[in-house]
Amino acid sequence: QFIHEGLSHIGGNTVAALLYGSVFECYHPLGHVVFLMVYESSVLFGALGHSLLWPYKGLIGCSPGVYGLTGSGWALMIVHWNLMDPMSSLTLFISLSIQMIGDLIFYFF
């Protein structure tokens, strides 16, 4: 979780964790606790799933935690859309969409 593949990898994970973590802080009563639970369980189960599917391939970074936060960010955005101010919801939607599209492009090309 603390080893990354260069500055862009750790920078991207840090920015995503800060951005999506702020959603938990704003729209959940126990935001910091939920953030930590989602993040750490995503890292744990993501690494477990990776090691089961690809037992001889290494895994670095905390990207599973960021993907867990991304999925939870989508869920929180959908559930709390009416509670968010328009600028926050638009910013979150755009950032989640950019990350999703970027990951798909990186994965397939």
Side-chain angles (χ1 to χ4, degrees), residues 3 19 31 67 72 85 97:
I3 300 173
L19 180 67
Y67 287 124
S72 299
D85 62 282
S97 300

Side-chain angles (χ1 to χ4, degrees), residues 18-108:
L18 288 171
L19 180 67
Y20 306 140
S22 66
V23 174
F24 286 100
E25 293 288 333
C26 291
Y27 297 103
H28 198 284
L30 295 172
H32 59 286
V33 174
V34 174
F35 168 79
L36 184 63
M37 289 173 43
V38 168
Y39 187 77
E40 291 298 328
S41 64
S42 297
V43 168
L44 176 70
F45 289 113
L48 178 64
H50 183 274
S51 64
L52 290 174
L53 293 174
W54 300 284
Y56 301 109
K57 189 173 180 184
L59 177 68
I60 61 169
C62 56
S63 295
V66 173
Y67 287 124
L69 292 176
T70 303
S72 299
W74 280 106
L76 279 173
M77 184 179 65
I78 291 168
V79 170
H80 296 295
W81 186 266
N82 60 339
L83 300 176
M84 299 174 115
D85 62 282
M87 193 62 175
S88 295
S89 58
L90 183 63
T91 303
L92 182 60
F93 177 77
I94 289 171
S95 64
L96 288 168
S97 300
I98 287 172
Q99 182 188 1
M100 188 172 66
I101 292 168
D103 284 343
L104 288 173
I105 290 171
F106 179 74
Y107 181 77
F108 288 111

